[in-house]
Amino acid sequence: MPFYIFGKNYICKQGKALICLYKWEIPGVKTTNKQQNNCMKTVDDFNFKGKQALIRVDFNVPLDKDLKVTDANRIEAAKPTIEKILEDGGSVVLMSHLGRPEGREEKFSLKHVVSKVAEVVGVEPKFVNDCIGDEVKAAADDLEPGEILLLENLRYHKEEKAGDEDFAKKLSELGDIYVNDAFGTAHRAHASTTVVAKFFEDKCFGYLLAKEIKSLDKVLHSKEKPVTAVLGGAKVSSKITVIENILDKIDNLIIGGGMTYTFILAKGGKIGNSLVEEDKQELALEILKKAEEKNVQVHLPVDSVIADSFSEEANTKIEKVDAIPDGWMGLDVGPDTLKNFEAVIKESKIILWNGPLGVFEMDKFSKGTIELGHAIANATKNGAFSLVGGGDSVAAVKKFGFEDKVSYVSTGGGAMLEMLEGKSLPGIAAISQ
Ligand code: AMP
């Protein structure tokens, strides 16, 4: 019977770790051992009975002026992992950052989220006023199975962001098994997200982080075809590394948003006063050439909703994307473009969407983004896998109510972009290696 040997300390037997049978390529994680790369430990690989889990969660939630949590999504996202550990008969120490405090700023205290955690998880967490120190250690040692301890904001200590080893070691003394369930900070080599892992023999991904990795893997290493990436948003320059990295993995590249006009200008079109990065024209042409070499079909807009000012009060009309008069700017894709894009999406089996197709914040220029959302939702209903990620596309999906109609909405903007760029995420590498 085959054994998969991964890492120095682990031998994972075929029968137990089903996860090994599902081939997970971890985007951006370079390791010398192929099997290791394919075996990701999750909380399902451990029985937490009598064990204490130290979980890095992302409770960086928005608070209103009365310091009440206004959006508990991130707490809800961590619930399955916490529940699994408690149901096993374990105890849980939760650590997170909140905002960007300069020292001990009261408004960034995690005590403001205690009641929301209690409401969401159904267990009132104990709270300590710090995340390291004797009092914290004593509170952690006193924890009984079924109980939760929430630590104070990690970023009250500058050692957290500095990835300080001593600080990480002190954190590591608060649990038996380290669980990382914070995708939003997985691209940071901070003490609690990365460095702390080295002090644990037993460490794994929480459900949320595992789902993020699995979803991205599905897009980047899909056997199903065609794979379509929709890249919109403002600038070519912020997406260039992503485009270069994914060209090998996709069949269609749909380009929309402000970056359209750099491509159109580079191809000799007239773009009026549309957003453009003049110095990126050569780069745009290079992308088009590379895409052709790799047999990737690039779908650029053919028409635009153009406006005589960047405002909701602007006069608007539809114009060919390469014939925009001076004084006018393209702020959304036009109807012919949408028809083309919809046809591509309809045929796609895997869809990645990053960046809106227009200035979706203004009603007048939101149609392209909304219609694309509909098309992706329909394709998903018909069996395609769709992943939406990266700041503004997530905001757009939420604003227009597509959140539950796509396969997965990534919770970590920066982390997801770095994974798409093919970079190694320290928080993921620390657990995989
Ligand atoms: P990004 O963060 O690069 O994904 O960019 C998102 C921003 O791009 C959003 O705020 C949109 O309003 C903006 N955007 C999308 N299309 C255009 C456009 N045609 N002209 C100017 N800005 C745009």
Side-chain angles (χ1 to χ4, degrees), residues 205-267:
F205 297 103
Y207 290 127
L208 176 66
L209 187 38
K211 208 167 167 190
E212 293 274 358
I213 298 171
K214 209 165 143 182
S215 301
L216 265 157
D217 179 62
K218 211 167 163 148
V219 170
L220 295 177
H221 301 101
S222 167
K223 295 219 166 48
E224 284 183 274
K225 283 181 169 299
V227 178
T228 298
V230 185
L231 294 184
K235 292 179 173 178
V236 186
S237 52
S238 62
K239 306 276 159 92
I240 185 68
T241 335
V242 172
I243 300 179
E244 281 178 342
N245 187 50
I246 60 174
L247 275 183
D248 281 326
K249 301 163 170 86
I250 59 175
D251 305 292
N252 295 300
L253 174 62
I254 290 179
I255 291 175
M259 70 167 128
T260 303
Y261 302 98
T262 301
F263 283 90
I264 300 299
L265 185 67
K267 282 165 64 113

Side-chain angles (χ1 to χ4, degrees), residues 124-141:
E124 179 86 28
K126 296 179 173 176
F127 181 74
V128 269
N129 286 320
D130 210 335
C131 57
I132 53 166
D134 293 344
E135 204 185 311
V136 177
K137 179 80 172 77
D141 288 348

